[in-house]
């Protein structure tokens, strides 16, 4: 049998070794491995079971076919139990043993392949498990009901919950309320097979336990979800989901900081212009919907530039910061305080019952600023001017409301600052007019739109014109002639008054020079100075040089100033008046009696003339003696000053003024201001009122 078997089983590449005893077999096996052993049950020095036993003890992989003459079934069972792969009984047919060998070899080959395969699988699984479990992302699977069926360990750290707490719990429990609808929709689409996955940003709840107070109770993640296909699902009840969630809170916070900076003022950390506008637009839309009222305040710090110039920018900045803080405290939650830039703030009161509510808050703001700010430079006081516009009364758009609040603020500034005021439509048209006038005024001199008018000053005693007041007119191409009361303040504000005054001075001197050439050598010309001119340090030299250019003796000019000009900086004003007087000019106080205390400064200012304001002249009617005019004439006499009465409209007034000792007069009763040609006629033929 030992000799025949290699022949009947021969195949190309197959090799055979034959052994006659158990001992020989074991010796061979110790030397090398085989694929298959055909093992006789009975051998000269023992049974085949000894070999089987040896193989199993040495964990050998050789397949074994036991060949035996034993009839007993338990011999076969013993052999198979001992590890044999098949059992062939003697005597056997050649085909039988060939079949057995073939099938055992086939089976062991399969087994080996399987083992290799599962080894590879195990390695691959280990790799994937490692990758999943050590991933910095949260990786999970959901079952068909949307409950966690797997989570990687990242869950603990990211969500503050252990995996066992989360398993079998619905994913939606973690989603923040504001994101729930959206998430529900995405999951449903996956379940319905309408989606092949999604990529969303959403917020997941974090377990507050073990979080520091300033940490967020949620974490923002970018979640990538992919539905599982049916084949991957254990049961086939619907479809689950793979999910990978990456923590993007850090990035979000960085984005928030950038956004914050885009919408806030660096210095005060208040909302800036952009954000204010945004909130205002929103509030207007809401107020419109519920037919409510809202208020916009425009707040400007009074004389901030001076504080900045005096104490430096660091103190200016500190003041703005402190101011912002104090302003903020006067407001309620829901109100917006913003800094537009510089010393300008705005307030949005999105929900007020009536105008009085806004007024209450404005008053609170003004009060809150009554105490000084304790800054490094010492205690500094700051007041503000507040303009208020109401929706819908004063405007229906964010832009109109802000602009109108600004217009109202501007009005507060002009009337003494430190206070508040509501917008009214009259203000607006006024304001618009100003703005357009200001634009038109640029270039008015070059376009020769300005003209000087003259009004005669007559002496009743001498029955002739002794002087002229030069009065400025603007022939506006559209609006016709405009008086100085309208455009001089505009020019002052726009910084154009200097040029205007110079033009007037030249023009007046040129005219006077012509009249002097015509023989009117004792004619005197009165000119109005604006407070701005009077404030200029080089004013006196300027006037002197112009007068010299036109060869006018200074004593033929009278410069009219107002009481308020002298009060502004009394010391500097005294010097100027004195210099002008010493140079020979006349200096008159215009609108005398309407300003401040009159007597004390008359001693101080060496003026030469008082012009009685027309409001006193107007009251001159009937036989009663007017006490104010008596007083003024008394003062003039006492101080040796000339007197001119203005605004004389009736013969009766002229009479009474004369009786009171005022001889020189000016007014419609004699002549209104008129252009040069007319003025020239008065020089030759005095206006009719001059004759009694
Ligand atoms: P003012 O100096 O008090 O000038 C007198 C104003 O009274 C003039 O108004 C004149 O037309 C007006 N007036 C004259 N007689 C009568 C009268 O009988 N009844 C009434 N009701 N009014 C009379 P005007 O020309 O409109 O000038 C207004 C103001 O503008 C002037 O007041 C003066 O303060 C200022 N002003 C005029 N010209 C100039 C100028 O060249 N430069 C500057 N800075 N201010 C000027
Ligand atoms: Ca005047
Ligand atoms: Ca006057």
């Amino acid at each position: 049998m030992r000799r025949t078997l290699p022949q009947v089983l021969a195949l190309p590449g197959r090799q055979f070794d034959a052994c006659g005893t158990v001992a020989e077999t074991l010796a061979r096996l110790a030397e090398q491995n085989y694929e298959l052993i055909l093992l006789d049950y009975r051998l000269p020095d023992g049974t085949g079971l000894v070999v089987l036993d040896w193989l199993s003890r040495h964990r050998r992989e050789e397949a074994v076919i036991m060949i035996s003459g034993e009839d007993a079934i338990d011999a076969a069972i013993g052999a198979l139990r001992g590890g044999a792969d098949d059992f062939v009984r003697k005597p056997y047919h050649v085909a039988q043993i060939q079949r057995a060998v073939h099938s055992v070899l086939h089976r062991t080959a399969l087994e080996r392949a399987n083992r290799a395969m599962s080894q590879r699988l195990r390695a691959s699984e280990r790799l994937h498990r490692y990758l999943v479990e050590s991933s910095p992302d949260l990786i999970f699977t959901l079952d068909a009901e949307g409950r966690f069926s797997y989570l990687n360990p990242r869950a603990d750290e990211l969500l503050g919950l252990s995996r066992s707490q989360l398993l079998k719990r619905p994913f939606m429990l973690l989603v923040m309320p504001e994101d729930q609808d959206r998430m529900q929709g995405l999951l449903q689409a996956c379940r319905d097979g309408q989606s092949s996955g999604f990529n969303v940003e959403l917020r997941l709840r974090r377990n507050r336990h073990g979080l520091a107070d300033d940490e967020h109770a949620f974490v923002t993640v970018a979640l990538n979800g992919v539905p599982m296909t049916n084949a991957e699902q254990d049961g086939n009840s619907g479809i689950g989901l793979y999910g990978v969630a990456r923590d993007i809170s850090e990035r979000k916070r960085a984005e928030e900081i950038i956004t914050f900076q885009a919408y806030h003022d660096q210095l005060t950390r208040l909302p800036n212009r952009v954000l204010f506008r945004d909130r205002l637009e929103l509030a207007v839309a809401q107020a419109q919907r519920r037919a409510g009222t809202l208020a916009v305040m425009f707040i400007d710090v009074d004389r901030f530039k001076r504080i900045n110039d005096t104490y430096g920018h660091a103190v200016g900045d500190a003041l703005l910061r402190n101011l912002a803080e104090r302003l903020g405290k006067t407001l309620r939650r829901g109100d917006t305080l913003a800094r537009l830039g510089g010393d300008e703030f705005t307030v949005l009161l999105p929900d007020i019952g009536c105008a009085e509510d806004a007024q209450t808050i404005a008053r609170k703001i003004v009060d809150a600023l009554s105490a000084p700010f304790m800054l490094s430079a010492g205690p500094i006081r700051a007041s503000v001017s507040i303009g208020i516009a109401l929706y819908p009364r004063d405007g229906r758009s964010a832009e109109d409301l802000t602009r109108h609040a600004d217009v109202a603020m501007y009005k507060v500034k002009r009337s003494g600052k430190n206070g508040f005021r509501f917008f009214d439509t009259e203000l607006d048209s006024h304001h618009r007019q100003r703005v357009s006038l200001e634009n038109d005024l640029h270039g008015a001199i070059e376009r020769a739109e300005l003209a000087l008018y003259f009004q005669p000053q007559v002496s009743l005693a001498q029955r002739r014109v002794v002087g002229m007041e030069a009065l400025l007119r603007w022939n506006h191409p559209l609006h016709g002639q405009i008086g100085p009361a309208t455009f001089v303040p505009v020019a002052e504000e726009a910084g154009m008054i200097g040029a205007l005054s110079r033009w007037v001075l030249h023009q007046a001197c040129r005219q006077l020079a012509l009249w002097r050439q015509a023989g009117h050598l004792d004619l005197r010309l009165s000119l109005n100075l604006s407070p701005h001119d009077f404030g200029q340090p080089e004013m006196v030299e300027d006037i002197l040089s112009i007068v010299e250019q036109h060869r006018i003796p200074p004593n033929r000019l009278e410069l009219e100033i107002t009481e308020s000009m002298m009060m502004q900086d009394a010391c500097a004003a005294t010097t100027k008046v004195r210099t002008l007087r010493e140079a020979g000019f006349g200096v008159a106080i215009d609108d005398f009696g309407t300003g401040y205390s009159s007597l004390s400064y008359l001693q101080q200012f060496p003026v030469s003339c008082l012009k009685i304001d027309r409001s006193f002249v107007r009251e001159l009617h009937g036989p009663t003696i007017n006490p104010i005019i008596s007083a003024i004439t008394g003062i003039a006499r006492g101080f040796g000053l000339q007197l001119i009465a203005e605004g004389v409209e009736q013969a009766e007034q002229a009479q009474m003024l004369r009786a009171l000792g005022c001889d020189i007069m000016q007014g419609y009763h004699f002549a209104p201001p008129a252009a040069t040609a007319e003025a020239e006629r008065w020089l030759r033929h005095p206006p009719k009122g001059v004759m009694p």
Side-chain angles (χ1 to χ4, degrees):
M1 191 178 75
R2 226 162 53 219
R3 258 180 273 106
T4 58
L5 275 177
Q7 283 154 30
V8 298
L9 295 174
L11 267 181
R14 246 182 214 175
Q15 282 176 13
F16 299 85
D17 281 330
C19 301
T21 62
V22 170
E24 202 184 337
T25 306
L26 296 184
R28 279 287 170 83
L29 280 171
E31 274 166 25
Q32 72 174 98
N33 294 307
Y34 294 88
E35 223 167 310
L36 175 66
I37 300 170
L38 294 167
L39 184 63
D40 209 317
Y41 189 78
R42 273 185 201 286
L43 291 162
D45 53 347
T47 71
L49 294 179
V50 177
V51 176
L52 282 179
D53 186 44
W54 188 94
L55 286 171
S56 97
R57 265 192 288 119
H58 289 81
R59 301 180 185 281
R60 297 285 290 242
E61 303 213 322
E62 280 87 352
V64 176
I65 297 176
M66 185 71 94
I67 300 171
S68 171
E70 297 295 316
D71 282 336
I73 184 85
D74 38 323
I77 291 173
L80 291 170
R81 244 195 217 133
D85 295 272
D86 208 346
F87 187 87
V88 177
R89 221 159 61 85
K90 284 192 281 195
Y92 51 76
H93 196 274
V94 170
Q96 222 178 327
I97 196 96
Q98 282 172 331
R99 211 167 36 241
V101 166
H102 176 77
S103 85
V104 166
L105 283 180
H106 183 67
R107 206 167 63 221
T108 52
L110 271 183
E111 273 170 15
R112 220 175 296 130
N114 258 338
R115 247 194 325 272
M117 174 88 85
S118 66
Q119 226 159 36
R120 271 207 305 279
L121 268 177
R122 266 200 304 278
S124 153
E125 212 221 77
R126 258 204 313 276
L127 173 68
H128 284 102
R129 184 165 289 278
Y130 171 77
L131 292 177
V132 167
E133 307 245 297
S134 61
S135 167
D137 295 341
L138 173 69
I139 299 175
F140 60 88
T141 59
L142 302 182
D143 64 16
E145 274 74 49
R147 293 172 310 205
F148 285 109
S149 48
Y150 169 81
L151 284 137
N152 71 346
R154 184 77 171 107
D156 302 30
E157 208 183 316
L158 197 67
L159 306 170
L161 289 165
S162 72
R163 286 197 274 178
S164 55
Q165 282 173 297
L166 286 167
L167 277 173
K168 303 264 183 296
R169 309 265 290 152
F171 169 71
M172 286 306 290
L173 286 182
L174 287 180
V175 179
M176 295 292 280
E178 54 271 39
D179 291 333
Q180 279 182 358
D181 285 350
R182 196 161 48 110
M183 200 58 228
Q184 201 85 60
L186 289 169
L187 289 179
Q188 193 56 49
C190 286
R191 243 174 260 141
D192 296 348
Q194 283 163 353
S195 161
S196 57
F198 54 81
N199 240 319
V200 282
E201 265 181 28
L202 81 163
R203 274 157 292 180
L204 298 180
R205 255 183 243 284
R206 291 179 90 176
N207 186 2
R208 262 233 153 274
H209 242 51
L211 281 184
D213 269 352
D214 58 337
E215 276 186 281
H216 290 278
F218 61 84
V219 54
T220 312
V221 296
L223 172 63
N224 190 337
V226 177
M228 286 188 222
T229 61
N230 263 324
E232 288 165 306
Q233 190 68 6
D234 326 329
N236 28 1
S237 53
I239 284 177
L241 188 100
Y242 297 118
V244 177
R246 169 157 300 182
D247 180 2
I248 54 166
S249 309
E250 247 352 281
R251 197 187 82 204
K252 276 282 157 194
R253 265 193 284 283
E255 279 173 11
E256 272 163 24
I257 289 171
I258 292 167
T259 319
F260 183 88
Q261 281 171 349
Y263 290 101
H264 290 80
D265 165 49
Q266 299 266 31
L267 179 68
T268 58
R269 302 185 67 74
L270 291 176
N272 65 8
R273 184 186 294 271
V274 181
L275 183 54
F276 180 78
R277 200 194 154 96
D278 200 60
R279 294 213 182 143
L280 179 54
E281 273 167 5
L282 203 75
V284 166
Q286 277 167 356
Q288 196 170 16
R289 219 171 307 128
R290 56 180 170 70
T293 304
L294 68 81
V296 174
M297 289 183 178
F298 205 106
I299 303 179
D300 195 287
V301 184
D302 297 332
R303 301 179 193 89
F304 179 71
K305 192 177 157 353
R306 211 167 65 190
I307 294 171
N308 232 356
D309 290 349
T310 314
Y311 301 102
H313 287 280
V315 172
D317 285 356
L319 176 65
L320 288 176
R321 261 197 301 268
N322 282 277
L323 201 104
E325 199 185 314
R326 257 196 225 175
L327 291 180
K329 285 195 182 129
T330 62
L331 304 177
R332 299 165 301 186
R333 272 170 66 87
D335 297 343
T336 295
L337 169 66
R339 178 172 174 235
L340 296 197
D343 57 347
E344 289 178 347
F345 294 85
T346 45
V347 173
L348 164 63
L349 307 173
D351 188 16
I352 54 165
C354 54
E356 280 73 49
D357 291 353
Q359 187 167 332
T360 310
I361 291 179
R363 195 162 286 137
K364 250 164 80 183
I365 292 178
V366 170
D367 289 348
L369 297 180
S370 60
F373 290 95
M374 296 305 175
L375 302 182
S376 60
I380 290 179
R381 271 173 210 286
S383 66
V384 293
S385 301
I386 307 173
I388 311 169
L390 298 178
Y391 172 93
R393 194 186 75 185
D394 303 331
R396 293 177 169 272
S397 71
E399 199 187 322
D400 280 356
L401 288 167
T402 314
R403 192 167 50 82
H404 289 167
D406 188 14
V407 167
M409 180 281 290
Y410 188 76
K411 185 74 186 168
V412 177
K413 279 264 178 227
R414 286 187 56 82
S415 49
K417 309 185 171 73
N418 188 22
F420 62 88
R421 121 166 233 159
F422 282 90
F423 172 81
D424 59 56
T425 38
E426 204 179 305
L427 261 186
D428 187 40
S429 62
H430 209 78
H431 189 77
R432 277 169 198 268
Q433 209 180 327
R434 276 189 96 87
V435 171
S436 85
L437 271 191
E438 186 183 318
N439 286 332
D440 297 347
L441 199 55
H442 284 285
I445 296 180
E446 287 75 16
R447 291 191 301 268
E449 289 168 7
L450 297 181
L452 265 196
Y453 269 39
F454 298 92
Q455 187 177 30
Q457 297 168 337
V458 302
S459 158
L460 286 194
Q462 299 174 49
R463 295 187 177 171
R464 65 180 188 103
V465 173
V466 293
M468 299 268 196
E469 178 172 6
L471 293 162
L472 190 52
R473 295 290 180 268
W474 179 14
N475 294 308
H476 191 283
L478 256 143
H479 305 310
Q481 195 170 74
I482 303 179
T486 309
F487 68 85
V488 164
V490 176
E492 279 170 348
E493 225 146 69
M496 288 185 273
I497 189 70
L500 228 60
S501 302
R502 230 178 300 277
W503 183 88
V504 169
L505 212 61
H506 271 294
Q507 201 64 23
C509 288
R510 188 172 300 129
Q511 190 53 58
L512 184 59
L514 288 174
W515 282 331
R516 287 174 64 80
Q517 277 168 26
H520 307 288
L521 288 172
D522 59 354
L523 183 68
R524 217 180 37 197
L525 203 63
S526 295
L527 288 174
N528 294 284
L529 287 185
S530 116
H532 174 271
D533 301 326
F534 203 65
Q536 294 298 303
E538 61 281 350
M539 179 218 37
V540 180
E541 289 110 272
D542 279 1
I543 296 178
L544 270 172
S545 95
I546 293 175
V547 166
E548 246 164 61
Q549 273 178 48
H550 295 275
R551 299 176 197 289
I552 305 287
N555 68 358
R556 295 297 89 195
L557 279 191
E558 187 154 82
L559 302 168
E560 298 189 359
I561 60 176
T562 59
E563 289 167 290
S564 61
M565 282 188 225
M566 294 185 289
M567 301 321 292
Q568 268 167 23
D569 185 353
C571 188
T574 319
T575 320
K576 278 179 188 154
V577 171
R578 186 159 294 136
T579 322
L580 284 172
R581 291 287 293 128
E582 279 162 7
F585 293 102
V587 175
I589 296 179
D590 207 349
D591 310 332
F592 185 77
T594 57
Y596 303 83
S597 65
S598 311
L599 284 175
S600 56
Y601 66 79
L602 280 182
Q603 291 165 316
Q604 208 178 322
F605 294 95
V607 296
S608 50
C609 176
L610 300 182
K611 293 189 82 171
I612 303 175
D613 190 69
R614 65 169 169 272
S615 57
F616 303 121
V617 175
R618 200 184 311 131
E619 276 156 23
L620 282 178
H621 42 66
T624 46
I625 298 292
N626 184 297
I628 295 175
I629 294 196
S630 321
I632 294 175
T633 50
I635 291 164
R637 232 177 287 123
F639 283 90
L641 304 174
Q642 205 173 34
L643 260 185
I644 300 180
E646 283 190 303
V648 181
E649 296 182 352
Q650 295 157 9
E652 194 189 22
Q653 291 166 341
Q655 235 64 71
M656 295 185 74
L657 283 164
R658 204 168 169 207
L660 282 166
C662 174
D663 178 52
I664 303 180
M665 300 175 206
Q666 182 181 344
Y668 296 165
H669 172 59
F670 306 101
T676 324
E678 177 77 18
E680 244 159 38
R681 272 197 286 279
W682 298 323
L683 290 177
R684 276 176 275 126
H685 312 285
K688 53 180 180 354
V690 178
M691 304 301 167

